[in-house]
Amino acid sequence: MNPELENVTNEPVEEQTPVVNLNETAPVESPAEPVNAIVEETIAHVELSSEPVAESTPAVEPVSEVVMDSTDVSELTEEEHDLAVVEELPDFANLSKADLLKTALKALAEKELEEALLIFKSVKPYLDQHNAEEKAEALAKYLEEGGDKDGFEFKGDGSKEQFNQAFTDLRQRKEDARKRQEAEKLENLKKKEAILEEIKKLNDSEETTQSLKKLKELQGEWKKIKNVPKEHIEKLWESYRVLNEIFYDRLSINNELKDLDRSKNLDHKIELLGKANELTSETNIKKALIGVKKLQEDWRFIGPVAKEASDDIWNRFKAEVDKVYAMIKSKTEEMEKERMVNLEAKKELLEKAKTLANFQTQRIKEWMDQSNSVNELMEAWKKIGHVPMANRDQVWNEFRDARNAFFANKNNFFKGMHAERNANLKAKEELCVKAETIAANPIDWNKQTDELKKLQEAWKKIGQAPEKVNDAVWRRFRTACDSFFEKKSERYASQQTEQTANLTAKQALIQKLEELSASENHQNIFQELKQIQTDWNAIGFVPVSQKEPINKKYNELLDTLYGKHKQLNKEIRGDRDKQNFELMAGSPNGLAKLQREERVLMERIRGLKKDMETWDNNLGFFKSGNAKNPLAEQIQDKINIAQKHVQGLEEKLKALKALRNKPAETTPAE
């Protein structure tokens, strides 16, 4: 035994480390940030006593009631256990919904209860975010396709329900475990009270060579017993400490064993000193924190050392431990600086989100583009690390509210668009019905063609119908239009052949007129001209491009013949007018054309008669003189010519009225 270590009675007692509550989790809306909070709170509460306390007993059980084992993480305190788990968790922000659910269910099946609970709490905000985004996208698509917001129902893929059910089961297991732990704590309380009774009996009995050994056994049993109800911890610890002091105060035998024990204790503490020194170079905060706490716990359970070595070894150990905590504090401050940088980055994203929250447009593409921008902001947000705890909830809530405002505006737009498109659909369906009616009953081709063109113009002015039926209603309208125009094309194709034949027939009649005009034979001229006129009127339409030229040539030839045979002029012309009126009456809308021609003739007659009255009044100024006046003769000639025209027009009008009042014969419509 080292004689310098004899009669050492002072041994510093380290101050207890307060328990840090790690069960609080971040709000659902924001990813949890427990790691740095644990480090900060632990550093803030963990202190080593700087004042040595006179040693009269070996080190006794600390209030924390936790036995540390360097190889078993499950024996760590609750806060250290949570810290270890959080440090090893993956980056949930980059996982898909399926991977998040898979991670949670795997933890439920394979992890310990506390670790599984922590994983579920960490996964939940990200899984909720995925579900919220899927619901928003489904609602936008539903509205865009013409659905009504009040009728929207989002069923999802069942992952949310599966996760919530598993989480509920896990919490129930936690509650059951808590009840078992409470029962176990009560049992542990009874066991420790029994040990206190044994130590008290040991103190009341005579000292023997086995007394110290018996006390060591009782201390070992005490150490093996785990937690007791919180309200009994202090009282148990104080009773345990006092009874141990009483025992050692009475201990007077086996001093050599005591000295040997102190020497071994010094060796153990020197070993802890070296381990503490190694921790000063540890860069992992988690490992450093867990390691230093374990060293402190081990130090408490090592007994006293020689008095002359007590202060020195304690001060050296405390200095090394202080270095470890200084390193942890430094790392934590670096993390805090990084958090401030992250906060600024998230504030920039927040400003962009607030700008998008006020976005308005009437274009679907612009809404979809900006939706992508909002989602990109969310992805960028997830990639940024944690922010200071004091700012976490506020900055997240503002960002979330800005996103929600954007999607609310977007949903309102699509809801209004849905109502407008339904109205457009109704208007287009009405146009379809009208177009289909025309296509099914083609009667007046020209009139109905104009009507159909007006329907097409009206269609162009109507906005888009709901997307899921827009193409279908357009195909319906176009089919009706195409059907009409195809029928019209087929009709006019057949008419073109007929009109070409009619042109050939009329050209043959013109040739006969040319032959009559060149002939000097005037016999039967009237009958021939009348037959030609009859044949001409019986021939149908000719191509439009040839209509005016051939009619002009026909009339010119007739006028030539009329000039050569004036005595036939009146009779032939009357006959020709009558046949023209008959042809007019037999054409489409013949009655209307006759009425229009009647109005024209009456207007011409009234005009000529009015002119004749004016000329007759003017002629009165020239009758006072006896001599002939050339100007008066000129006026009289005009009156005579007008009278002849009026007479001819009245005869023409008479023939027209007679034809109009006669029942019309049915003539094929053009």
Side-chain angles (χ1 to χ4, degrees):
M1 177 183 296
N2 188 345
E4 295 179 357
L5 298 182
E6 279 194 278
N7 301 321
V8 175
T9 59
N10 293 333
E11 172 68 10
V13 178
E14 295 82 1
E15 190 173 310
Q16 174 195 348
T17 302
V19 176
V20 182
N21 183 11
L22 298 181
N23 290 328
E24 296 181 2
T25 59
V28 169
E29 294 84 0
S30 176
E33 307 178 319
V35 179
N36 293 331
I38 295 171
V39 176
E40 293 166 355
E41 293 181 20
T42 304
I43 293 176
H45 292 86
V46 176
E47 295 290 342
L48 294 177
S49 173
S50 59
E51 296 294 333
V53 179
E55 178 191 86
S56 58
T57 67
V60 293
E61 191 75 17
V63 178
S64 65
E65 298 290 344
V66 179
V67 179
M68 304 296 291
D69 188 315
S70 61
T71 61
D72 190 355
V73 179
S74 65
E75 295 296 328
L76 298 177
T77 60
E78 184 177 351
E79 64 268 26
E80 291 169 345
H81 185 275
D82 286 352
L83 176 62
V85 173
V86 171
E87 285 285 336
E88 297 170 0
L89 290 180
D91 185 1
F92 294 124
N94 296 323
L95 295 183
S96 65
K97 186 177 73 170
D99 289 338
L100 289 172
L101 180 62
K102 182 179 179 181
T103 299
L105 296 180
K106 184 177 180 181
L108 178 66
E110 300 178 359
K111 301 292 184 181
E112 295 181 2
L113 181 61
E114 295 296 335
E115 186 174 350
L117 270 173
L118 190 60
I119 291 176
F120 266 74
K121 291 176 183 178
S122 301
V123 164
K124 190 177 190 304
Y126 296 104
L127 193 62
D128 288 344
Q129 183 63 39
H130 280 293
N131 288 323
E133 290 175 355
E134 287 182 0
K135 182 178 180 180
E137 291 175 1
L139 176 59
K141 184 177 181 181
Y142 177 76
L143 294 175
E144 185 177 348
E145 292 178 350
D148 181 49
K149 185 177 181 181
D150 296 334
F152 175 72
E153 182 179 0
F154 181 69
K155 296 182 179 179
D157 56 3
S159 59
K160 180 178 180 180
E161 292 74 12
Q162 187 177 4
F163 177 86
N164 289 341
Q165 182 60 48
F167 206 176
T168 300
D169 295 344
L170 197 58
R171 288 194 181 104
Q172 184 60 48
R173 286 171 53 190
K174 170 69 173 178
E175 177 62 20
D176 295 343
R178 185 191 66 77
K179 292 179 181 179
R180 290 195 300 271
Q181 289 173 358
E182 291 299 323
E184 184 180 347
K185 286 180 180 180
L186 292 175
E187 183 65 24
N188 291 340
L189 174 62
K190 293 179 182 179
K191 292 179 180 179
K192 287 200 171 185
E193 287 175 343
I195 291 175
L196 292 177
E197 288 296 323
E198 291 294 324
I199 298 177
K200 186 176 180 181
K201 290 179 182 179
L202 194 62
N203 288 339
D204 293 340
S205 62
E206 292 292 331
E207 179 182 336
T208 67
T209 56
Q210 298 297 317
S211 296
L212 182 59
K213 180 180 179 182
K214 179 63 176 176
L215 180 64
K216 291 290 186 180
E217 291 175 354
L218 292 173
Q219 287 178 340
E221 292 178 13
W222 181 279
K223 187 175 181 180
K224 292 177 182 179
I225 300 172
K226 301 297 176 65
N227 296 335
V228 298
K230 186 176 181 180
E231 61 272 18
H232 297 283
I233 292 177
E234 292 294 338
K235 182 179 178 181
L236 282 174
W237 165 246
E238 183 62 20
S239 298
Y240 181 76
R241 183 185 63 79
V242 170
L243 290 174
N244 274 275
E245 288 181 352
I246 292 174
F247 178 86
Y248 277 93
D249 286 343
R250 296 177 61 252
L251 189 63
S252 60
I253 61 176
N254 299 321
N255 285 330
E256 289 187 1
L257 292 176
K258 290 167 60 179
D259 292 340
L260 179 61
D261 192 41
R262 288 190 177 109
S263 177
K264 290 181 178 179
N265 292 341
L266 179 61
D267 292 338
H268 290 321
K269 290 191 174 184
I270 291 174
E271 182 180 356
L272 293 184
L273 182 64
K275 292 180 179 180
N277 179 265
E278 292 176 359
L279 284 179
T280 58
S281 59
E282 176 60 61
T283 57
N284 187 295
I285 293 179
K286 178 198 73 174
K287 292 182 179 179
L289 179 61
I290 295 176
V292 73
K293 289 195 68 180
K294 184 181 184 306
L295 293 180
Q296 288 177 277
E297 292 296 328
D298 290 346
W299 185 278
R300 291 188 180 102
F301 288 108
I302 297 175
V305 299
K307 181 178 180 180
E308 62 271 19
S310 177
D311 290 345
D312 177 64
I313 194 66
W314 164 249
N315 290 332
R316 289 168 61 189
F317 180 72
K318 182 178 182 302
E320 294 299 333
V321 169
D322 288 344
K323 289 180 183 178
V324 176
Y325 279 109
M327 181 271 293
I328 294 175
K329 183 178 180 182
S330 175
K331 293 289 185 182
T332 305
E333 289 175 351
E334 291 179 7
M335 293 170 63
E336 186 66 16
K337 291 179 181 179
E338 182 179 348
R339 287 184 175 191
M340 291 303 298
V341 173
N342 294 341
L343 176 61
E344 293 303 317
K346 287 191 173 183
K347 283 183 176 180
E348 291 181 6
L349 297 182
L350 174 59
E351 291 303 316
K352 294 179 180 179
K354 287 182 176 179
T355 300
L356 290 173
N358 300 318
F359 176 78
Q360 293 289 345
T361 183
Q362 296 300 315
R363 297 178 178 274
I364 296 177
K365 185 178 184 304
E366 291 180 1
W367 276 114
M368 303 312 295
D369 290 343
Q370 295 304 327
S371 295
N372 292 334
S373 298
V374 172
N375 292 332
E376 287 172 0
L377 289 181
M378 187 64 203
E379 292 302 317
W381 184 280
K382 293 177 181 179
K383 293 178 182 178
I384 298 175
H386 301 305
V387 301
M389 295 288 291
N391 306 100
R392 182 192 64 187
D393 291 343
Q394 179 182 356
V395 71
W396 164 251
N397 290 337
E398 290 184 14
F399 182 74
R400 179 199 59 197
D401 292 344
R403 293 181 76 252
N404 291 343
F406 170 83
F407 285 111
N409 292 337
K410 177 183 176 183
N411 291 341
N412 289 336
F413 164 77
F414 279 105
K415 186 176 181 180
M417 183 191 70
H418 163 64
E420 179 183 349
R421 289 189 171 184
N422 275 345
N424 294 339
L425 175 61
K426 184 176 180 181
K428 288 187 173 184
E429 287 176 339
E430 292 175 356
L431 294 182
C432 286
V433 172
K434 293 179 180 179
E436 288 166 349
T437 301
I438 293 174
N441 302 284
I443 300 174
D444 189 336
W445 294 98
N446 292 332
K447 181 181 178 181
Q448 290 176 316
T449 297
D450 292 338
E451 291 176 357
L452 208 54
K453 288 181 178 178
K454 290 178 181 178
L455 294 183
Q456 290 174 333
E457 290 299 322
W459 183 281
K460 292 177 182 178
K461 295 178 182 178
I462 300 175
Q464 190 174 4
E467 186 174 349
K468 62 181 180 181
V469 296
N470 189 60
D471 291 342
V473 73
W474 161 245
R475 287 193 299 269
R476 178 184 174 186
F477 181 72
R478 183 173 180 177
T479 299
C481 294
D482 290 346
S483 175
F484 174 82
F485 287 111
E486 285 173 3
K487 292 177 181 178
K488 182 179 178 181
S489 296
E490 291 173 359
R491 175 177 174 78
Y492 278 96
S494 63
Q495 285 184 344
Q496 187 174 8
T497 302
E498 181 182 346
Q499 289 176 358
T500 302
N502 292 340
L503 176 62
T504 303
K506 286 191 174 184
Q507 287 173 342
L509 294 177
I510 287 177
Q511 185 175 357
K512 288 183 179 181
L513 288 175
E514 290 175 343
E515 292 174 354
L516 287 174
S517 178
S519 175
E520 295 295 333
N521 184 8
H522 303 307
Q523 294 181 356
N524 302 323
I525 186 68
F526 176 74
Q527 289 79 2
E528 293 183 17
L529 288 175
K530 187 175 181 179
Q531 184 61 46
I532 291 174
Q533 183 74 17
T534 300
D535 293 343
W536 182 277
N537 292 333
I539 298 173
F541 294 101
V542 300
V544 176
S545 60
Q546 299 295 325
K547 179 180 178 180
E548 184 175 349
I550 199 168
N551 285 338
K552 182 179 178 183
K553 192 169 184 179
Y554 173 73
N555 290 324
E556 288 176 351
L557 289 171
L558 284 179
D559 290 340
T560 301
L561 288 169
Y562 292 156
K564 290 177 66 175
H565 307 283
K566 291 184 179 179
Q567 67 278 13
L568 302 176
N569 189 35
K570 180 178 179 180
E571 185 178 353
I572 294 176
R573 284 182 179 274
D575 224 23
R576 185 179 65 176
D577 289 339
K578 181 180 178 182
Q579 292 179 358
N580 283 338
F581 291 150
E582 290 176 350
L583 182 62
M584 186 180 299
S587 66
N589 299 318
L591 181 59
K593 293 179 180 179
L594 289 176
Q595 291 174 342
R596 185 167 58 253
E597 184 68 18
E598 182 179 349
R599 288 194 297 270
V600 171
L601 291 174
M602 293 176 66
E603 287 294 329
R604 291 181 64 187
I605 292 172
R606 281 195 294 269
L608 287 173
K609 287 183 176 181
K610 186 176 181 181
D611 291 341
M612 289 168 60
E613 290 176 1
T614 302
W615 296 332
D616 190 58
N617 289 335
N618 293 338
L619 191 61
F621 294 108
F622 300 100
K623 290 182 179 180
S624 58
N626 295 325
K628 292 184 178 180
N629 190 317
L631 187 57
E633 292 178 354
Q634 185 178 355
I635 293 174
Q636 185 62 51
D637 290 338
K638 291 173 67 175
I639 292 174
N640 295 336
I641 294 172
Q643 286 177 341
K644 291 180 180 180
H645 281 305
V646 169
Q647 184 179 0
L649 291 173
E650 286 177 342
E651 291 177 356
K652 198 172 184 179
L653 180 61
K654 182 179 179 181
L656 188 148
K657 287 182 177 180
L659 182 63
R660 182 167 61 82
N661 295 327
K662 180 181 178 182
E665 296 181 0
T666 304
T667 305
E670 172 62 23

